[in-house]
Amino acid sequence: MRQGLSKVVAWLAGVLAVVAIIAYFRPENFAQTIAAVGLQGLAAWLALTLAARWLLVETTVMPLGVLGFAMKRADVFWVGWIRTLANFVLPMSGIAAYARVVRDRAGISWSELAALAAPQLVLALAALGVVGLGATACNAETLQGSSILFGILYLAVLVLAVVIATGAPWFVGLLPGALADRVARTTSALRKLATHPNLVVQVIVLHTAAIVLRGGRIWVLFAAAGFALDWRELLLVIAIAESTMLVNATPGGLGIREALVLGGSALVGVPAPVAASVALVDRLFVIVTTALLSAPAFAYLRRPRG
């Protein structure tokens, strides 16, 4: 009961955060940004979104294969949209839906599936650390004194991911019992993945590429709004926006991602109303795309397997 209530509260918090952004920043350019994107811009946004999704498909299929389980890439791709839709409707329910389909299609046990989930987060954090450090280094002049703080933050993220991956005894010993056991299981799962040459590195590269592609769609929207960010500025906005995973307290980072896009955009000189419009348009496109693709996803996954 308490867990269910906390999920509803998280969903409401995300909605209220979006409402607050709209009320405070009053993104007058919202409708104009949508119109300016046009069919060509929408096609580019959609292509980048689908490409990022397909890379994430590989981050599931490849580790499953190493553990001895086979799952079609199309299955993983389509169930990903159902997961996103479910999270929009009921916070965190998408994870349960995703796990159920993967377990059914791959024949993996719940314990093995749970052991696989935590390493994915660790490797995604490592990718965020790499992108964040790169963005900080490329924008040191823009960030000035803040570059030290950003550097420390993303270095800490990367180091934490490496420490968990290697299962450093001194680190595990500092943790409470339950958390220490969870970290130990994560480390054990990562070591299994590491038995396959370069798999861990490949998964980190895939996560990094997916982050960059999601950032590319933000660039498309900023360009439509009349602000063509250069690659260094874009990299900084991407890193900050993707830091949603560090404070993922709402479904899909609702409200949090939008706020971080605003913060990153402010650092590179984009007016807040324009940044708010871009962040909200991106969210709208994600919701609409998810709604449109969920119907074929359900149809695909319900058809007899052969």
Side-chain angles (χ1 to χ4, degrees):
M1 177 68 179
R2 182 177 298 177
Q3 185 178 10
L5 180 61
S6 66
K7 292 179 180 179
V8 173
V9 170
W11 186 83
L12 290 175
V15 172
L16 289 175
V18 171
V19 171
I21 288 172
I22 295 173
Y24 185 80
F25 293 102
R26 300 185 179 279
E28 298 91 350
N29 298 325
F30 181 77
Q32 294 94 318
T33 300
I34 294 178
V37 170
L39 290 178
Q40 186 175 359
L42 181 59
W45 184 95
L46 185 59
L48 290 165
T49 299
L50 294 177
R53 286 278 182 153
W54 197 257
L55 290 179
L56 294 180
V57 166
E58 293 297 325
T59 67
T60 297
V61 171
M62 291 169 61
L64 280 173
V66 169
L67 295 177
F69 301 97
M71 187 169 179
K72 293 180 179 178
R73 287 172 173 78
D75 290 353
V76 180
F77 175 79
W78 286 115
V79 74
W81 293 106
I82 294 176
R83 177 181 60 185
T84 304
L85 177 67
N87 280 335
F88 284 145
V89 176
L90 183 64
M92 306 306 291
S93 62
I95 296 176
Y98 186 85
R100 188 178 186 86
V101 173
V102 172
R103 180 175 180 270
D104 178 57
R105 297 275 169 154
I108 188 172
S109 68
W110 285 114
S111 59
E112 289 171 313
L113 184 58
L116 185 63
Q120 287 286 7
L121 176 59
V122 172
L123 299 180
L125 285 174
L128 174 62
V130 171
V131 173
L133 286 173
T136 302
C138 293
N139 291 275
E141 185 175 347
T142 299
L143 293 172
Q144 297 181 349
S146 300
S147 63
I148 297 176
L149 296 177
F150 279 98
I152 292 173
L153 170 64
Y154 290 114
L155 180 61
V157 170
L158 181 57
V159 169
L160 178 62
V162 172
V163 166
I164 293 176
T166 57
W170 64 267
F171 176 74
V172 176
L174 296 175
L175 301 175
L179 185 56
D181 290 342
R182 187 172 180 180
V183 170
R185 289 195 297 270
T186 300
T187 301
S188 176
L190 279 167
R191 284 175 176 166
K192 288 182 181 179
L193 298 182
T195 59
H196 189 281
N198 301 321
L199 177 64
V200 170
V201 173
Q202 289 173 1
V203 173
I204 292 174
V205 169
L206 288 169
H207 277 295
T208 302
I211 289 173
V212 173
L213 287 173
R214 287 194 296 267
R217 73 188 194 196
I218 292 290
W219 181 88
V220 169
L221 299 180
F222 272 119
F227 285 83
L229 303 179
D230 69 30
W231 67 271
R232 291 168 298 181
E233 294 170 334
L234 177 62
L235 192 61
L236 181 61
V237 175
I238 293 171
I240 294 174
E242 291 292 327
S243 298
T244 304
M245 69 176 72
L246 299 176
V247 284
N248 200 10
T250 60
L254 182 64
I256 298 174
R257 182 179 176 86
E258 287 75 15
L260 291 176
V261 169
L262 275 164
S265 301
L267 291 173
V268 297
V270 177
V274 173
S277 294
V278 166
L280 294 171
V281 169
D282 186 60
R283 176 67 67 177
L284 175 64
F285 283 1
V286 169
I287 292 173
V288 172
T289 302
T290 301
L292 291 176
L293 291 179
S294 292
F298 278 112
Y300 174 84
L301 292 172
R302 285 179 177 176
R303 71 179 187 176
R305 283 178 284 173

